[in-house]
Amino acid sequence: MAMPVAPVLRYLRTLRRFWGTALATQLEYQLNALIELLAMAGNLAGSLLLLWLFHRQGVALGGWSWNAVLVVLGAYTFLDGLTSTLLRPNLSRIVNHVQEGTLDFVLLKPIDSQFWLSLRTISPAGLPEMGLGVVLMLWAARRELGALPPAPLLAAAVLLLAAAVILYALWFVLAATSIWFVKTWNATEVLRAALTAGRYPVSAYPAGLRLLFTLVLPVAFLTTVPAEALLGRLTPLTALTSLLLACGALVISRAFWAFALRFYTSASS
Amino acid sequence: MATVMARGLRKTFRVADKQPGLAGTLRHLVHRRWRSVQAVREVSFSIEAGEVVGFLGPNGAGKTTTLKLLSGLIHPSGGELAVAGHRPFRRERAFLESITLVMGQKQQLIWDLPPLDSLRVNAAVYGIPEREARRRIAELAEMLELGEELTRPVRKLSLGQRMKAELMAALLHRPQMLFLDEPTLGLDINAQARVRQFLADYNRRTGATVLLTSHYMADITALCPRVLLIHEGRLFHDGALAELSERLAPWRQVRLELARPLSAAQLAPYGEIEALEGCEVRLAIPRERLTATITRLLAQLPVLDLEVSDPPIEELIGRLFRQGSLEPAPR
């Protein structure tokens, strides 16, 4: 790492405080925390039931065996959990910061404002879903292949991370537009719906949609590519494309944020 | 050396010009019309390190916009601006570590948690080591007379306690430049006085530069030897408070409670009538004639009660601008 040690430590310490206070805030309302916990359990049960229903039918989609489909579904479940844990709690707040003018406080801190806005809070209710996603991927891949060699495992982990970065960057750019359109016309819901399309392998969709999901909305890179990696079916070119896409998306999100801030007028007192 | 340098500072906002009603909304949807609002026009001033300067002006004069320009929240539309050797809107780390902005209307403390939690977050953000942070918290808490309030959820604190805790959060990193926008807003008289005392102490102890806006004249008189008077985005007065008071103080407000209602014509000889409602009267009386006029009032009118006070700053400034007695400060 080119970064000096001290700033990294400062960001880590800040993150610890961020999440510590986020948890403390949620625990402040005991009933609310209990309801969250119940909702999480219900959500998890629902996902499992859905899986079981699919399993009974044993359908194959887009030339993928049932177990391979489950790997894709695992990747989707992981990203959906990530959405509930970090993306939604943090990024949907940006619009409030803009509306109420509290973005001022964030911008005046000697810390990266994108870091602050993206990681200020955490909702642990989504963590089990993330865990379930990973377990499902591993379990289904093992059933499909009979073994889990380390190379595809590593590739899948990296590409799942890349998928998370792509999803985050898209979401952040949409949330950042609230600097102009104070109401973010629920564009993020569109993104979430697109993510839902990633429940199934891209090849299960008609050609037109397949193109859309690969070129316009990178749904293919969110779920299908990490699943392919785990199943050892990935071409190096796709892997490279996914990584470049992740890096590019992150860079663009940062540039876009810097650009958007030029238009920030700071809601008056 | 001047720590704040503003030369020809300008800020123009583009706002939508929208007629009321459905028709207006539809027209706005199809054909948007924009209007430029010049919030700050050609403002020039400089401030030395350690000075305490008050920003005065009616609502919408451009005070808050100027503070936001100085703290780097918004880009200037034109002119030059340097604060502590930095260009504020670049928001470089060294700059942000040396300034703070307190806004009476917005809060940074976490609503559901005790102030101590917010303070720890800020300590981490500013990279203040834990032990040092504890020391500073103890020191600030003593200066602000905060104790167990620091471990009570913010939502359960009184407005005064909350503002003190806000000040702690804003000062933990020991800024050399304080921008305060209405720091005493809504506080009761005692709390206002304590906040003022604290700010004066802080300025004395640390030599920090303080820029503040306030609706309360007492804040300005107690803290600011120098004031900048801004109206419609222009700088009208830059100088000692004493100079400004000379222009403002000729008027005193005299409230009267009468035994029976009197007509405006009967009251006019005593001073300018500001309000007349039944038996309640408010007059503006030139200071040099105050004693004589009061003697006459008491002798000639059925006065039950009488109270002399300084008019609210907003009113004074409003009167000043209505009379047009101030020309833009020559630069």
Side-chain angles (χ1 to χ4, degrees):
Chain A
M1 285 286 267
M3 252 187 182
V5 175
V8 172
L9 279 181
R10 174 145 98 165
Y11 276 82
L12 285 178
R13 205 179 132 212
T14 302
L15 199 58
R16 207 184 77 205
R17 290 289 182 209
F18 276 177
W19 290 357
T21 51
L23 295 181
T25 305
Q26 282 158 45
L27 291 174
E28 187 68 16
Y29 296 98
Q30 288 155 336
L31 188 64
N32 211 29
L34 189 71
I35 291 171
E36 285 255 316
L37 209 66
L38 286 175
M40 178 199 81
N43 207 1
L44 214 54
S47 303
L48 287 170
L49 179 72
L50 201 68
L51 281 179
W52 181 71
L53 287 176
F54 271 112
H55 184 60
R56 279 187 3 148
Q57 299 202 343
V59 279
L61 288 168
W64 289 53
S65 73
W66 171 241
N67 281 321
V69 170
L70 277 187
V71 178
V72 176
L73 200 56
Y76 165 78
T77 309
F78 172 81
L79 290 177
D80 193 53
L82 181 73
T83 302
S84 316
T85 310
L86 285 175
L87 300 186
R88 197 147 27 97
N90 284 297
L91 302 183
S92 60
R93 268 201 200 178
I94 294 179
V95 67
N96 298 336
H97 279 308
V98 173
Q99 255 168 352
E100 289 156 25
T102 41
L103 186 57
D104 293 356
F105 288 119
V106 179
L107 295 179
L108 290 183
K109 295 286 188 290
I111 198 163
D112 189 77
S113 57
Q114 189 172 355
F115 167 81
W116 177 300
L117 293 170
S118 305
L119 293 168
R120 176 63 189 86
T121 186
I122 186 169
S123 170
L127 287 174
E129 210 191 338
M130 289 172 76
L132 175 73
V134 172
V135 169
L136 185 61
M137 282 181 89
L138 295 177
W139 177 77
R142 216 190 127 86
R143 279 181 42 136
E144 174 78 10
L145 304 171
L148 280 178
L153 257 182
L154 187 68
V158 170
L159 289 173
L160 200 58
L161 185 71
V165 169
I166 294 169
L167 183 63
Y168 155 77
L170 278 177
W171 199 312
F172 183 82
V173 165
L174 286 179
T177 58
S178 56
I179 296 269
W180 293 279
F181 318 109
V182 173
K183 292 199 175 89
T184 320
W185 35 283
N186 292 342
T188 48
E189 284 310 309
V190 177
L191 196 63
R192 216 172 142 82
L195 176 62
T196 315
R199 267 178 202 257
Y200 315 110
V202 180
S203 51
Y205 291 97
L209 278 179
R210 214 180 303 163
L211 217 60
L212 178 79
F213 288 155
T214 313
L215 297 178
V216 186
L217 294 161
V219 170
F221 293 99
L222 295 183
T223 53
T224 308
V225 169
E228 281 176 329
L230 191 57
L231 296 168
R233 301 175 185 170
L234 198 64
T235 62
L237 182 67
T238 318
L240 195 66
T241 311
S242 182
L243 287 177
L244 286 178
L245 194 62
C247 293
L250 196 61
V251 168
I252 287 171
S253 80
R254 291 193 68 77
F256 186 75
W257 179 239
F259 172 71
L261 281 182
R262 290 188 61 99
F263 295 87
Y264 178 59
T265 52
S266 166
S268 196
S269 36
Chain B
M1 204 198 107
T3 187
V4 177
M5 269 281 306
R7 204 183 297 281
L9 193 60
R10 284 191 292 116
K11 179 67 193 180
T12 311
F13 289 113
R14 202 173 69 132
V15 294
D17 192 13
K18 179 174 167 293
Q19 297 300 310
L22 185 61
T25 305
L26 286 177
R27 208 174 308 134
H28 183 66
L29 203 64
V30 182
H31 180 70
R32 245 154 228 247
R33 273 214 311 228
W34 299 93
R35 195 159 45 89
S36 288
V37 174
Q38 291 186 292
V40 176
R41 348 179 165 195
E42 303 286 332
V43 168
S44 301
F45 58 87
S46 69
I47 293 171
E48 300 297 314
E51 266 195 282
V52 183
V53 177
F55 267 103
L56 289 179
N59 284 332
K63 292 171 293 182
T64 303
T65 305
T66 308
L67 281 192
K68 283 177 178 167
L69 286 168
L70 292 175
S71 58
L73 278 173
I74 49 181
H75 272 247
S77 309
E80 281 173 56
L81 183 63
V83 176
H86 295 267
R87 299 231 257 155
F89 63 86
R90 287 191 181 159
R91 287 199 289 268
E92 288 150 325
R93 209 173 96 185
F95 170 71
L96 295 176
E97 281 174 350
S98 68
I99 66 151
T100 200
L101 175 67
V102 176
M103 291 173 279
Q105 326 228 22
K106 299 175 192 171
Q107 61 162 24
Q108 62 167 320
L109 297 174
I110 307 165
W111 185 246
D112 286 317
L113 297 182
L116 211 48
D117 282 300
S118 300
L119 292 172
R120 286 197 183 128
V121 170
N122 276 9
V125 167
Y126 283 98
I128 306 167
E130 308 251 352
R131 187 184 295 177
E132 174 64 14
R134 270 199 296 277
R135 221 174 50 73
R136 293 189 192 180
I137 289 170
E139 187 186 288
L140 284 169
E142 199 196 316
M143 283 177 81
L144 283 161
E145 295 164 1
L146 284 174
E148 54 89 31
E149 291 92 345
L150 290 180
T151 51
R152 219 191 299 158
V154 171
R155 61 171 191 275
K156 294 191 175 148
L157 298 179
S158 73
L159 200 56
Q161 292 164 337
R162 213 185 302 152
M163 181 40 78
K164 289 201 226 164
E166 281 286 335
L167 282 170
M168 284 186 75
L171 298 175
L172 194 65
H173 60 288
R174 299 219 168 125
Q176 276 303 297
M177 189 85 222
L178 276 57
F179 300 112
L180 309 164
D181 192 18
E182 302 283 351
T184 55
L185 195 76
L187 302 188
D188 65 48
I189 302 287
N190 285 332
Q192 278 180 31
R194 270 199 294 276
V195 167
R196 271 201 291 275
Q197 186 59 49
F198 169 77
L199 292 174
D201 285 349
Y202 188 87
N203 167 257
R204 214 175 10 254
R205 277 165 72 152
T206 64
T209 314
V210 180
L211 261 83
L212 108 157
T213 74
S214 179
H215 273 80
Y216 303 111
M217 194 57 189
D219 284 349
I220 307 289
T221 48
L223 290 171
C224 311
R226 173 182 169 199
V227 295
L228 300 176
L229 189 62
I230 297 177
H231 182 52
E232 287 176 348
R234 284 183 222 277
L235 187 63
F236 269 80
H237 175 90
D238 174 359
L241 183 63
E243 266 171 55
L244 186 62
S245 328
E246 266 170 43
R247 282 160 148 163
L248 301 180
W251 301 94
R252 280 300 182 88
Q253 240 175 24
V254 175
R255 276 171 221 275
L256 296 175
E257 198 191 327
L258 302 169
R260 58 186 162 79
L262 293 175
S263 72
Q266 285 170 296
L267 290 163
Y270 298 97
E272 191 186 323
I273 302 166
E274 288 188 335
L276 172 57
E277 234 187 271
C279 295
E280 301 279 333
V281 183
R282 202 169 74 229
L283 299 172
I285 298 175
R287 191 193 238 170
E288 68 271 15
R289 278 187 293 160
L290 187 67
T291 341
T293 309
I294 287 176
T295 318
R296 271 168 55 221
L297 276 170
L298 292 173
Q300 298 166 0
L301 299 181
V303 176
L304 293 180
D305 196 10
L306 182 146
E307 186 190 301
V308 182
S309 60
D310 282 326
I313 186 69
E314 292 283 285
E315 230 167 274
L316 278 177
I317 290 165
R319 179 189 295 272
L320 221 54
F321 288 128
R322 275 198 303 280
Q323 290 175 344
S325 60
L326 276 183
E327 296 302 317
R331 279 273 147 182

